[in-house]
Amino acid sequence: MDLTAFITSFTTSFVIFVVLVLLFTWLSRKPGNSVVYYPNPISKGLDPFENRKRSMNPVGWIREAFVASEADVIAAGGVDAAVYLVFLSTVLGILVFSGVLLLPALLPVAGTDDALKLANQNNKTAGNYSELEKLAMGNVQEKSSRLWAFMLGVYWVSIVTYYILWKSYKHVSNMRAAAKSSPEPKPEDFAILVRDVPSRPSDQSLKDRVDSYFRSLHPDTFYRSMVVTNLKEANKIYNNIEGYKKKLAHAEAVFAESKTTGKPEGARPTMRTGFLGLVGSKVDTINHCNEKIKELLLKLEAEQKITLREKQERAALVFFNNRAAAASAAQTIHAQMVDTWMVSEAPEPRAVIWTNLSMRLYMRQIRQAIVYTLVFLTVVFYMIPIAFISAFTTLDNLERLAPFLKKVVEQPEIKTVLEAYLPQIVLIVFLALLPAFLMFLSKSEGIPSESHAVRAAAGKYFYFIVFNVFLGVTISGTLWSSLKSIINHPGDLITLLATSLPGNATFFLTFVALKFFVGYGLELSRLVPLIIFHLKKKFLCKTEEEIKEAWAPGDLGFATRVPSDMLIVTIVLCYSVIAPLIIPFGAIYFGLGWLVAKNQVLRVYIPSYESNGRMWPHMHTRILAALIIYQITMVGFILIKKFLYAPFLFPLIPISFVYAIITKNRFYKSFAATPLEVAAQELKEVPNMEAIYAAYIPPCLKPEKLEDVELFEDAQSHATSRTTSF
């Protein structure tokens, strides 16, 4: 990519960002849009404009984001959101402190050499070089003493990363401890998850087996247990009831709306009973929904009894009367055989994946092996389409492969725009398809909670990023564009890589710029959610519940957000010394990302679960992995430059592994399990154990009518005492 295309891409992206910020400022001040731009405080019954003027200042949101404290962030979005902001600020700190030394030191060193000019004169490159490439390490000649500066730069980035990561890990560890020792009781702090319950004797129910086992081991602290049941059928009926309730409310609103002065009796809505309401007999919607709800309620009550008595699975949630006892039990090996009575901390009630709890150990291991095989195949075979994308989105290759497009592509204006945006947009769209697939695979492993599944999916996506985006786009693009030269002169392969690899930094410069300017601009302006909300409100929504569903934003979406950020971490670290000009772009990405994300946490997103920062060790490990990849890349690259002292970089790689082990031993255990000194902190009031227990009852098993509670208690206490049964 030449300098003109780069400037076009950067300038256009910046203009788009400014326009989106101005739109955000204007649209967010309109009262009718408040539920789109301030759903978080509105969901809590707060006035989003209380103590705040409706200012038209386009940068007012930046001041508010800076002023908000970490406690404000935790109150609005939870510890997980606060930890995500720590992640962004950590990477920002690494890049800023690295850039302070690397930019003034390395740019002149590279820019004043002439390796690219000499190589071009000797026909060793496939084409002309750009002005940006002259500022990269590829412009430094082989065996040059200038390479010492780049080697010292690798050490500087590594030391900065070690120091800032340590400080951040310590901060997040303290943040998690404060949350877990909160005086406010939380249901998950008093429960443990028990899987692989042994088969019960013929004269004992599964519920009795769990109760007697844990009561004998924890006689003073055991409260009661909840045996996990197969909820498939009950959930299906429950969801049908909820669907008919929504249809009923919608139909009643339509009927009320149809009553006018000229027609006070109104027009009762009708529907068809067949597929998607398109076929079948026509019926009165209100009457039909009422009948179906009554019918399904009776069916649900019958199914609840069957589920509670006959569909018990070999897993349970066990509750203790204090959180220190629960924390201790979750860390204790309860059985001699490792495949029975396996215990762990209970997930938060909102995060439980009920269908996975009863999965046996060996089934989980088999599924995990299958899933990781599929992930491996995905990583390997995605290289093929990524390579094709790299080829097809290069204009020279596009002209060669599709000659009929040459006249269009050669137009100066069209060529500049295509060079500036086409490869980056295609790659972004291509990558957007993967996270949902990886999330599905992660849940298929038998993972018990949403937060754990998100971490697993993000980890898989990181592997994909390393092998396909960094290596695939960088190396495949270089090899493809230079294929003819390699075939004609196989001995020049190493030289071609040494001179061409830094040139791919210009692709990633525009990729990062497009991500932070256009991506964060769209995130802040919320144009797409705004349009969808108003369309739904105008044409589809008739009830308050439907309107609320139309504007409900969900959570931050860590499963896609964190891997996307990790891609930028990997790219910027790996190119930080090869092409230092990428550092400011990475710093802008994470600095602007921190501001936008903080604004969205305070105003927009509503957390769907809370894991108290359990994602941080994953983030820390992946940043370290990116650092190690960067160090290996630099060792190889400087060796390619035939620099005699390249082996001086080798110690960095084992140092990074030792550092990873030290940080894991120092901090990780307090994330994997709650320390007793944290769990033993005093509560401000005696916890309501019945409320804690009830928080884990699945919605489909709760009685519809209050007068039916006794009936369901009898069903729950089948063959056991009512005080300890479910």
Side-chain angles (χ1 to χ4, degrees):
M1 179 183 292
D2 60 28
L3 185 60
T4 303
F6 171 74
I7 293 174
T8 300
S9 172
F10 184 82
T11 304
T12 309
S13 298
F14 178 73
V15 170
I16 291 172
F17 176 74
V18 171
V19 171
L20 291 172
V21 170
L22 293 175
L23 280 172
F24 161 72
T25 306
W26 175 53
L27 293 171
S28 65
R29 297 306 185 254
K30 292 184 172 296
N33 297 334
S34 59
V35 292
V36 175
Y37 293 100
Y38 305 96
N40 185 297
I42 288 174
S43 68
K44 298 174 182 176
L46 303 175
D47 179 4
F49 296 106
E50 186 177 357
N51 300 324
R52 182 166 61 231
K53 296 180 180 179
R54 294 174 183 266
S55 170
M56 292 302 291
N57 183 355
V59 295
W61 63 276
I62 296 178
R63 182 186 61 81
E64 293 177 7
F66 266 117
V67 169
S69 65
E70 191 168 77
D72 295 329
V73 171
I74 293 174
V79 178
D80 288 335
V83 167
Y84 175 68
L85 294 178
V86 171
F87 160 69
L88 295 177
S89 61
T90 296
V91 180
L92 175 62
I94 291 170
L95 297 180
V96 168
F97 282 103
S98 298
V100 165
L101 185 62
L102 295 186
L103 289 170
L106 299 187
L107 289 179
V109 171
T112 55
D113 211 340
D114 53 6
L116 289 175
K117 181 179 178 180
L118 293 173
N120 194 52
Q121 290 173 353
N122 296 329
N123 294 320
K124 290 185 177 181
T125 57
N128 295 325
Y129 55 88
S130 70
E131 292 299 314
L132 291 175
E133 290 178 71
K134 289 177 65 176
L135 299 175
M137 190 176 167
N139 196 39
V140 178
Q141 296 184 53
E142 294 177 355
K143 303 180 182 180
S144 171
S145 59
R146 295 172 183 246
L147 293 170
W148 273 112
F150 294 90
M151 288 181 59
L152 292 174
V154 178
Y155 269 92
W156 173 247
V157 173
S158 301
I159 292 168
V160 166
T161 304
Y162 298 147
Y163 176 75
I164 294 179
L165 277 180
W166 183 276
K167 297 276 288 184
S168 297
Y169 214 144
K170 187 175 182 180
H171 174 63
V172 174
S173 180
N174 292 335
M175 191 191 304
R176 176 176 168 84
K180 297 292 283 184
S181 62
S182 168
E184 298 287 341
K186 301 172 185 174
E188 61 271 21
D189 292 339
F190 294 84
I192 65 170
L193 172 63
V194 184
R195 307 175 85 176
D196 303 290
V197 177
S199 301
R200 60 184 176 83
S202 57
D203 61 340
Q204 188 181 38
S205 72
L206 194 62
K207 180 68 175 59
D208 288 338
R209 172 105 187 199
V210 174
D211 283 353
S212 60
Y213 184 81
F214 281 93
R215 187 179 288 110
S216 65
L217 295 176
H218 307 275
D220 299 325
T221 55
F222 173 78
Y223 174 65
R224 65 194 298 187
S225 68
M226 177 187 294
V227 173
V228 173
T229 55
N230 186 334
L231 304 173
K232 184 177 180 181
E233 189 61 31
N235 252 330
K236 181 180 177 182
I237 299 170
Y238 176 80
N239 290 333
N240 285 338
I241 292 172
E242 293 301 305
Y244 278 113
K245 285 181 178 179
K246 290 178 182 178
K247 286 182 182 179
L248 176 61
H250 182 89
E252 288 176 340
V254 170
F255 180 48
E257 199 176 79
S258 70
K259 296 179 180 179
T260 61
T261 305
K263 192 178 180 182
E265 69 279 4
R268 293 180 71 84
T270 60
M271 62 178 289
R272 294 187 179 275
T273 58
F275 179 71
L276 295 177
L278 302 175
V279 296
S281 57
K282 185 179 288 188
V283 296
D284 181 287
T285 303
I286 295 175
N287 292 338
H288 178 71
C289 288
N290 276 319
E291 290 171 3
K292 294 299 291 185
I293 290 171
K294 289 178 182 178
E295 176 187 327
L296 288 170
L297 280 175
L298 293 174
K299 190 175 180 181
L300 179 62
E301 290 178 5
E303 180 60 33
Q304 286 173 331
K305 296 176 184 178
I306 294 171
T307 299
L308 291 166
R309 290 175 177 171
E310 302 175 12
K311 297 184 179 181
Q312 296 180 353
E313 305 279 359
R314 289 163 63 178
L317 289 159
V318 175
F319 299 85
F320 296 83
N321 55 29
N322 70 75
R323 60 185 181 186
S328 177
Q331 301 172 49
T332 304
I333 299 174
H334 281 70
Q336 182 179 354
M337 304 302 294
V338 296
D339 60 344
T340 59
W341 299 109
M342 296 190 69
V343 299
S344 62
E345 292 187 349
E348 193 204 24
R350 295 177 296 176
V352 177
I353 304 176
W354 291 100
T355 53
N356 285 351
L357 298 188
S358 59
M359 203 175 293
R360 301 303 306 279
L361 173 63
Y362 298 118
M363 178 57 69
R364 299 197 297 272
Q365 292 174 334
I366 292 170
R367 282 174 172 249
Q368 189 177 60
I370 294 172
V371 164
Y372 275 91
T373 301
L374 290 174
V375 170
F376 173 78
L377 294 175
T378 301
V379 168
V380 171
F381 288 105
Y382 247 60
M383 284 288 285
I384 297 172
I386 286 286
F388 273 106
I389 286 175
S390 181
F392 277 103
T393 54
T394 302
L395 292 186
D396 292 339
N397 291 330
L398 191 62
E399 290 178 15
R400 191 180 308 116
L401 296 168
F404 60 90
L405 295 176
K406 188 171 183 179
K407 290 184 179 180
V408 178
V409 170
E410 285 300 322
Q411 297 294 322
E413 298 82 4
I414 296 176
K415 183 175 183 178
T416 299
V417 172
L418 288 178
E419 276 193 334
Y421 286 110
L422 183 61
Q424 292 80 13
I425 291 174
V426 171
L427 181 59
I428 289 170
V429 171
F430 204 73
L431 293 177
L433 302 175
L434 194 65
F437 174 64
L438 296 180
M439 186 58 140
F440 167 77
L441 289 180
S442 296
K443 288 186 177 181
S444 299
E445 292 181 46
I447 288 172
S449 69
E450 289 284 346
S451 59
H452 189 176
V454 166
R455 297 195 301 274
K460 295 175 179 66
Y461 195 67
F462 178 78
Y463 306 141
F464 171 85
I465 283 169
V466 170
F467 288 100
N468 287 283
V469 179
F470 174 64
L471 295 178
V473 172
T474 302
I475 297 177
S476 296
T478 300
L479 294 178
W480 199 294
S481 63
S482 306
L483 184 60
K484 186 176 180 180
S485 299
I486 293 170
I487 292 173
N488 294 334
H489 307 283
D492 290 344
L493 174 59
I494 294 177
T495 305
L496 284 168
L497 285 173
T499 55
S500 301
L501 190 59
N504 286 286
T506 57
F507 168 85
F508 286 117
L509 282 175
T510 52
F511 178 75
V512 174
L514 190 65
K515 289 275 284 182
F516 67 68
F517 275 145
V518 179
Y520 285 136
L522 287 171
E523 167 85 8
L524 186 66
S525 66
R526 289 183 60 77
L527 282 181
V528 175
L530 179 70
I531 293 169
I532 292 174
F533 166 70
H534 282 296
L535 287 174
K536 285 184 175 181
K537 185 179 179 182
K538 184 173 179 62
F539 298 108
L540 299 176
C541 299
K542 298 296 181 182
T543 66
E544 287 299 320
E545 188 63 30
E546 289 175 337
I547 293 174
K548 185 176 180 179
E549 287 182 3
W551 61 254
D555 58 21
L556 269 168
F558 296 110
T560 54
R561 189 178 292 263
V562 172
S564 179
D565 293 335
M566 286 295 178
L567 168 59
I568 307 300
V569 173
T570 306
I571 290 170
V572 176
L573 276 181
C574 288
Y575 278 90
S576 61
V577 170
I578 292 176
L581 199 60
I582 203 171
I583 294 176
F585 288 83
I588 294 172
Y589 176 90
F590 287 99
L592 190 59
W594 181 85
L595 281 172
V596 172
K598 193 171 184 181
N599 177 81
Q600 303 302 79
V601 167
L602 294 168
R603 296 178 173 182
V604 179
Y605 293 114
I606 301 171
S608 58
Y609 63 81
E610 177 62 76
S611 68
N612 294 302
R614 189 63 179 81
M615 175 69 89
W616 175 256
H618 161 89
M619 295 170 171
H620 170 87
T621 302
R622 269 56 188 191
I623 294 173
L624 271 182
L627 180 70
I628 292 169
I629 293 167
Y630 153 67
Q631 292 166 344
I632 294 171
T633 301
M634 292 310 304
V635 168
F637 194 80
I638 293 180
L639 283 172
I640 287 173
K641 285 289 188 180
K642 301 177 183 178
F643 190 53
L644 183 63
Y645 301 100
F648 280 105
L649 286 180
F650 279 114
L652 277 177
I653 299 170
I655 287 172
S656 293
F657 280 104
V658 171
Y659 177 84
I661 294 169
I662 291 172
T663 53
K664 183 176 181 180
N665 291 338
R666 174 68 173 81
F667 297 109
Y668 180 72
K669 289 183 179 179
S670 64
F671 283 78
T674 304
L676 288 183
E677 69 174 4
V678 171
Q681 295 296 313
E682 292 290 331
L683 295 168
K684 71 177 183 180
E685 59 184 24
V686 178
N688 183 341
M689 294 306 299
E690 283 299 315
I692 288 171
Y693 175 80
Y696 279 96
I697 299 177
C700 64
L701 293 185
K702 291 181 180 178
E704 179 69 21
K705 304 172 186 176
L706 290 177
E707 57 267 27
D708 290 337
V709 169
E710 286 297 320
L711 172 65
F712 280 91
E713 284 186 349
D714 288 337
Q716 291 163 12
S717 60
H718 180 64
T720 65
S721 167
R722 180 175 298 174
T723 59
T724 59
S725 65
F726 178 77

